[in-house]
Amino acid sequence: LIFDGMLYDTWEEFVQPLLAEHFTTSGGPRFCVLPSYTLYARKSLLAGATATTWAENKSAASCDEASLFASNIGLASHEVKEKLRFVTDADTNKARAVLGFTDKGARPVNVLIYPISDECHEYKGDLAAFNNKIRQDILGDHSSGIRGILDDLLLRLRPGDLVFATSDHGFIELYPDAAVIVSQADVVAHKATFADAVFYRYAKRFKPSAMSASLAVEAGTEPHYLCVGRQWLKREGVGTTVRYSHGGLSLSE
């Protein structure tokens, strides 16, 4: 079970206690793979290896999450269809809008990805409200016919099943006074564009001159320059920002 983008604090304070009412749980914090965003953090988790071992090959099959995971656990290509089930949108309202479903697609090995926390990019409320939203997603809304993730797990899991639950990364709140302005001139000087090189918590291929502390990380063939702590990158002339993001270096991410 992968809760895409879930903060460890959210897991510890909200999600794990709800699951512990029905399942035996144990575990602890781990560091994610850098850069701390889905493309590299989640795929590296599934591959069991950092991006330097799988991202250099640009073929689609080499970067496919299900294929990377199958290789990681030692499944031969002819075994994948029979033994592995991979669900990337396990928590969507459309997927959960049927109460009392039966999980007929189960395999010996099942990967269920719940992107409930990665919705942080579009969320405008404070963290307490966001945690309450996640709690509701775990419990569901039976009055509206939406089963929760807990309902899913109670139906899918059987005594003796072994479950590994994790997040691929967390996220951080972007404080207005922590913004670093990246100028258009700086981007042009490096023969890049905002769209493909400058993101909230990291820059790709070059380090913006306005960045102070940063961490250089090679992911596949792409150099990344990660923001450290609260610093984040704001594109010159762009007024609208998200409230939360990830991709940099902080304990939250």
Side-chain angles (χ1 to χ4, degrees):
L1 309 178
I2 298 180
F3 296 101
D4 189 8
M6 179 174 289
L7 289 169
Y8 181 73
D9 290 351
T10 302
W11 162 260
E12 190 176 45
E13 296 297 325
F14 292 90
V15 180
Q16 187 177 27
L18 290 174
L19 299 183
E21 294 178 9
H22 303 273
F23 306 104
T24 300
T25 65
S26 64
R30 297 291 187 272
F31 291 116
C32 84
V33 175
L34 297 176
S36 53
Y37 65 95
T38 302
L39 174 63
Y40 292 114
R42 191 168 90 189
K43 286 189 178 182
S44 293
L45 177 68
L46 291 164
T50 59
T52 54
T53 66
W54 56 262
E56 291 184 3
N57 186 338
K58 296 301 182 180
S59 69
S62 71
C63 295
D64 175 74
E65 290 181 330
S67 298
L68 288 170
F69 182 71
S71 177
N72 180 20
I73 64 173
L75 289 181
S77 56
H78 67 276
E79 297 179 296
V80 172
K81 185 174 182 180
E82 179 183 347
K83 295 184 177 181
L84 175 64
R85 193 264 300 269
F86 200 95
V87 183
T88 58
D89 60 349
D91 85 319
T92 61
N93 282 358
K94 182 178 179 180
R96 292 192 288 122
V98 180
L99 288 171
F101 84 119
T102 56
D103 191 4
K104 298 178 180 179
R107 301 287 188 272
V109 180
N110 301 269
V111 177
L112 306 178
I113 298 175
Y114 294 99
I116 54 173
S117 301
D118 209 43
E119 296 174 9
C120 67
H121 299 294
E122 306 301 325
Y123 198 77
K124 303 300 182 184
D126 62 23
L127 188 55
F130 192 54
N131 282 335
N132 285 332
K133 175 198 173 298
I134 291 173
R135 186 178 187 277
Q136 186 62 53
D137 285 339
I138 298 294
L139 295 175
D141 183 1
H142 294 183
S143 65
S144 299
I146 304 296
R147 68 180 188 272
I149 291 170
L150 181 58
D151 295 310
D152 273 12
L153 300 183
L154 289 171
L155 285 165
R156 285 175 161 142
L157 301 183
R158 298 291 179 266
D161 284 351
L162 178 64
V163 178
F164 179 75
T166 188
S167 172
D168 52 353
H169 58 77
F171 57 86
I172 194 169
E173 186 170 0
L174 306 182
Y175 292 165
D177 60 0
V180 171
I181 307 298
V182 181
S183 70
Q184 179 69 51
D186 198 9
V187 174
V188 171
H190 290 90
K191 299 180 179 179
T193 65
F194 281 139
D196 64 11
V198 181
F199 303 85
Y200 288 113
R201 290 286 290 163
Y202 61 93
K204 291 166 65 171
R205 296 195 299 279
F206 78 99
K207 177 184 175 181
S209 58
M211 287 184 79
S212 52
S214 67
L215 176 70
V217 175
E218 187 85 8
T221 58
E222 293 184 311
H224 288 65
Y225 298 89
L226 311 187
C227 291
V228 176
R230 287 286 179 183
Q231 177 180 252
W232 59 278
L233 305 179
K234 188 177 188 299
R235 299 170 181 177
E236 181 183 32
V238 177
T240 303
T241 62
V242 299
R243 182 163 184 172
Y244 308 99
S245 194
H246 53 85
L249 178 63
S250 69
L251 283 176
S252 294
E253 292 160 294

